[in-house]
Amino acid sequence: MTSPQSVPSSLPHRVPDLGAMVLLLAVARHGSMGRAAKEVGISQPAASSRIRTMERQLGVALLDRSPSGSRLTDAGALVTDWARRVVEAAEAFDAGAQALRDRRDSRLRVAASMTIAEYLLPGWLIALGAERPGTAVSLLAGNSATVALRLLAGEADLGFVEGLSIPEGLDGTVIAHDRLVVVVAPSHPWARRRTPLTPGELAATPLILREYGSGTRQVLDAALAVHGGLARPLLELSSTTAVKGAAESGAGPCVLSELALGEELSARRLVKVPVVSVRLRRQLRAVWPSGHRPTGPARDLLSLTAHAVGAVRG
């Protein structure tokens, strides 16, 4: 194996560039500078100048030029043979790189926190499918902490989280803003309140909550920390759907993303309860391992989110 110290940092200055080698091979095939120039897509004067530069670099004449065409010298025939091997190696390199890109582009693994997975990602993935019909997409849904672990373990190519900040070891960008709202069943006393809840009331009331590690829980914990912190949960559930179901049954109040409540609020299966003097807004982020900006389908999905979330930006 070649040691790192023996690998040159750059090619010697006498080694022609790949384009010049391709041109020389074309001259050898056609026996004509004009036809070779046409094949590689440059003018004949430019082709002639490039071959002369190559001759100066190598210090040998490569062509015998005459009115009837261009013929390889003995040195030119030898250099052409070397150039052919270099060009073939470059073509093999390019084919291998393309195979790697094709393999990358054939699948996309997305990890997303529950609200984004349930209420935003389906539309984004439909749009991505129209742009990349050959890409197979798998979706791993979990809380924001789980999304971070999936990305750091190499089990996902792109993630979406709802917490207060970018998890350690990840880079990210804000794609939208969201707000949390307090909701109750129509039969709950809060549904008939004439005044907004105070932060103290909300903090002191046992709520139906998402589990620790969820972005929703992080934001709520932070918002009420200066008001005595959350009371012991009435229920602690691991999905938005379960929390909504418990609240609809009349078990008690819950705090969820407004994105997740459109249908329930429209049908009045749940009622929004105003709260004053507490910040329940949050940022939704796309995230990826630090130093590894998304490429291929992951990059395209990230681009789609920037155009598709205007309605939820604040």
Side-chain angles (χ1 to χ4, degrees):
M1 181 180 294
T2 303
S3 66
Q5 290 80 6
S6 66
V7 177
S9 60
S10 62
L11 289 174
H13 73 279
R14 289 191 179 275
V15 176
D17 64 66
L18 192 61
M21 296 186 201
V22 170
L23 175 60
L24 180 63
L25 292 175
V27 174
R29 280 194 303 275
H30 295 292
S32 164
M33 190 70 72
R35 288 197 292 272
K38 184 176 181 180
E39 179 182 310
V40 301
I42 61 177
S43 69
Q44 183 170 338
S48 296
S49 174
R50 197 158 195 181
I51 292 295
R52 289 192 188 95
T53 298
M54 191 176 183
E55 290 175 322
R56 287 194 298 271
Q57 275 185 286
L58 296 172
V60 295
L62 301 175
L63 299 176
D64 283 329
R65 299 162 177 85
S66 70
S68 61
S70 298
R71 184 178 61 83
L72 292 172
T73 64
D74 290 343
L78 186 58
V79 170
T80 298
D81 186 50
W82 296 339
R84 184 175 294 108
R85 281 179 271 171
V86 172
V87 170
E88 288 173 351
E91 289 171 344
F93 183 95
D94 183 58
Q98 183 60 52
L100 290 176
R101 289 191 295 270
D102 290 344
R103 185 171 69 180
R104 176 203 67 190
D105 294 352
S106 68
R107 67 170 189 173
L108 173 61
R109 301 167 302 165
V110 180
S113 52
M114 299 301 295
T115 300
I116 296 175
E118 292 183 61
Y119 301 100
L120 292 177
L121 259 175
W124 298 342
L125 294 180
I126 289 172
L128 181 68
E131 288 191 5
R132 285 183 171 269
T135 299
V137 180
S138 60
L139 173 59
L140 305 166
N143 62 36
S144 294
T146 299
V147 170
L149 290 174
R150 295 275 196 183
L151 287 165
L152 294 172
E155 298 172 359
D157 305 305
L158 185 64
F160 295 93
V161 296
E162 308 159 7
L164 291 169
S165 60
I166 298 174
E168 186 176 354
L170 303 180
D171 292 335
T173 185
V174 175
I175 58 168
H177 293 82
D178 180 30
R179 61 177 57 85
L180 302 182
V181 294
V182 180
V183 291
V184 295
S187 59
H188 191 278
W190 284 2
R192 297 181 293 278
R193 282 182 67 106
R194 295 183 178 274
T195 58
L197 287 168
T198 66
E201 287 178 291
L202 183 61
T205 301
L207 302 171
I208 305 167
L209 296 174
R210 285 288 309 277
E211 79 286 6
Y212 280 109
S214 75
T216 299
R217 182 69 172 267
Q218 290 175 20
V219 172
L220 189 58
D221 279 337
L224 295 180
V226 296
H227 302 286
L230 285 167
R232 176 177 292 185
L234 181 65
L235 292 171
E236 199 171 52
L237 304 171
S238 61
S239 77
T240 300
T241 300
V243 172
K244 287 194 295 185
E248 285 184 46
S249 74
C254 71
V255 181
L256 288 173
S257 164
E258 198 167 38
L259 294 172
L261 293 165
E263 182 181 339
E264 290 77 13
L265 293 175
S266 296
R268 286 196 60 79
R269 296 198 300 272
L270 290 172
V271 178
K272 189 187 302 186
V273 183
V275 185
V276 294
S277 303
V278 62
R279 183 173 176 79
L280 293 177
R281 292 178 63 80
R282 62 180 179 177
Q283 296 174 322
L284 307 183
R285 292 182 174 86
V287 290
W288 53 87
S290 295
H292 297 277
R293 184 80 184 181
T295 59
R299 178 196 59 223
D300 291 349
L301 179 57
L302 180 59
S303 178
L304 280 170
T305 66
H307 295 92
V309 297
V312 296
R313 286 187 182 274

